Amino acid sequence: MGKVAAKIKVMPNSPELDLDDLEDKLEDSLPEGAKIKGFERDDVAFGLVALLPTVIVPDDAGGTEAVEEAFTEVDGVESVSVENVGRI
């Protein structure tokens, strides 16, 4: 059984949102077996900054769908999209 690494773009719903707090909430929301390898930040526009966590999930976990759903439920998240996926 292998693992899959996915870079996921998480857009906050406000430029005033505390991104460190949002990172903690995203980590707390992860389904069992998934973990975050690290975060990047991407300046989008007008002070809005997207978070780009790299998430590691087991290959048999059904891909990134459970992680995407968990991230969507986090307070302060406007949208979630998968940017890149690869096996490791």
Side-chain angles (χ1 to χ4, degrees):
M1 172 177 80
K3 294 186 178 182
V4 174
K7 185 174 283 191
I8 300 176
K9 187 172 194 173
V10 179
M11 293 294 298
N13 59 13
S14 167
E16 288 85 31
L17 196 66
D18 181 351
L19 295 179
D20 293 327
D21 185 46
L22 184 57
E23 286 180 6
D24 292 339
K25 288 179 182 178
L26 292 173
E27 286 193 74
D28 292 342
S29 75
L30 286 173
E32 190 173 328
K35 64 180 179 180
I36 294 178
K37 183 77 170 167
F39 284 93
E40 294 177 29
R41 294 185 181 191
D42 182 29
D43 293 329
V44 178
F46 306 110
L48 190 61
V49 178
L51 291 178
L52 297 163
T54 299
V55 181
I56 311 296
V57 294
D59 199 11
D60 66 346
T64 62
E65 191 171 312
V67 173
E68 292 173 70
E69 289 175 11
F71 283 0
T72 302
E73 298 296 318
V74 172
D75 189 39
V77 171
E78 178 70 29
S79 66
V80 175
S81 63
V82 176
E83 297 289 300
N84 195 358
V85 178
R87 285 190 162 192
I88 54 172

